[in-house]
Amino acid sequence: MADQSPEPSRRHWARAALLLLLVIPFLPELAICAVAALAYFTGCRVDQESPCIVSSLPASEVIDWALWLGGVDIVGSAARRSYFHLILGAWLFVCYVVLIFAWTRLQTRLVIGAAITLVLAVLPYWAPLWTVRMFADERLCKPQSTGCPLFGKKVEKAFAALNMQDLPAHDSGPLLALGMFVAFAVFVAARAGFVARREGRSRSSR
């Protein structure tokens, strides 16, 4: 119908945008997995001595750059951690805004909002660690060395990724994410109550 409301279409695009917002922060880890898969497919080994070339680039260098983009440098700098937390907080705020447009029911917003909060509060700090651990072990990554030799060349950022688990809990992003979710829950609950009261007054005045 020509006069059909565009609201369902807007919700559809908002949901697609929200999914994209959740995927983008983990593109570095997805790139590492893709490069490693291509390396294995071309016959490379993680413990080989000569550099493994994937699409004219050394696989280890691509992994190093991806880990840097993933934010592993926050391990050694409190200032970088602060900026990283602020960026994640801003990203989470954008997700909340898109979520409000994507779903209308209060319960759905709260459940999905909690899931988004959990994802962005945990995975950005643990995904680099888990990704490197898929390829590196104690035999390859030794504390006294200057990097983990992966696919024929040392990956300088690998140790930072492996040390993400040692970040101080008191200044980590999960606390910020938890506070933001509480604020989001209060806002959407108050907004739902206001809308319900307004609709009730509208019906009673007819």
Side-chain angles (χ1 to χ4, degrees):
M1 296 176 61
D3 58 347
Q4 186 176 5
S5 172
E7 186 66 24
S9 178
R10 285 200 295 266
R11 287 199 297 268
H12 171 78
W13 285 109
R15 293 172 186 177
L18 184 59
L19 178 61
L20 183 62
L21 286 170
L22 287 176
V23 170
I24 288 176
F26 307 108
L27 287 179
E29 288 77 21
L30 293 175
I32 292 173
C33 293
V35 168
L38 288 173
Y40 286 125
F41 181 76
T42 56
C44 294
R45 301 189 318 274
V46 69
D47 59 348
Q48 69 182 46
E49 296 183 359
S50 59
C52 173
I53 306 300
V54 176
S55 298
S56 74
L57 292 173
S60 53
E61 290 187 9
V62 176
I63 294 173
D64 226 352
W65 275 102
L67 289 174
W68 177 79
L69 288 173
V72 297
D73 282 345
I74 67 174
V75 170
S77 171
R80 289 174 181 169
R81 284 198 298 274
S82 298
Y83 288 125
F84 191 74
H85 299 160
L86 289 175
I87 292 173
L88 282 180
W91 201 266
L92 182 57
F93 176 80
V94 173
C95 289
Y96 286 153
V97 172
V98 176
L99 172 59
I100 291 174
F101 288 99
W103 280 274
T104 57
R105 293 185 59 191
L106 174 61
Q107 294 85 347
T108 304
R109 287 174 173 175
L110 291 177
V111 171
I112 296 179
I116 292 171
T117 304
L118 181 63
V119 168
L120 293 182
V122 175
L123 289 187
Y125 302 93
W126 287 88
L129 165 66
W130 293 334
T131 305
V132 171
R133 277 187 173 173
M134 286 194 298
F135 316 110
D137 54 29
E138 294 181 358
R139 181 175 58 84
L140 294 174
C141 293
K142 299 179 181 180
Q144 64 269 23
S145 64
T146 58
C148 293
L150 303 176
F151 296 108
K153 193 174 181 181
K154 289 184 177 180
V155 176
E156 304 295 337
K157 304 296 182 184
F159 276 128
L162 294 173
N163 290 330
M164 292 286 277
Q165 61 183 343
D166 298 325
L167 288 175
H170 66 273
D171 68 346
S172 61
L175 295 177
L176 174 63
L178 177 61
M180 291 185 64
F181 175 71
V182 171
F184 168 76
V186 171
F187 172 77
V188 294
R191 186 173 183 270
F194 172 78
V195 171
R197 288 193 299 271
R198 185 179 62 183
E199 291 179 349
R201 289 195 299 267
S202 177
R203 286 193 296 267
S204 63
S205 64
R206 290 178 183 175

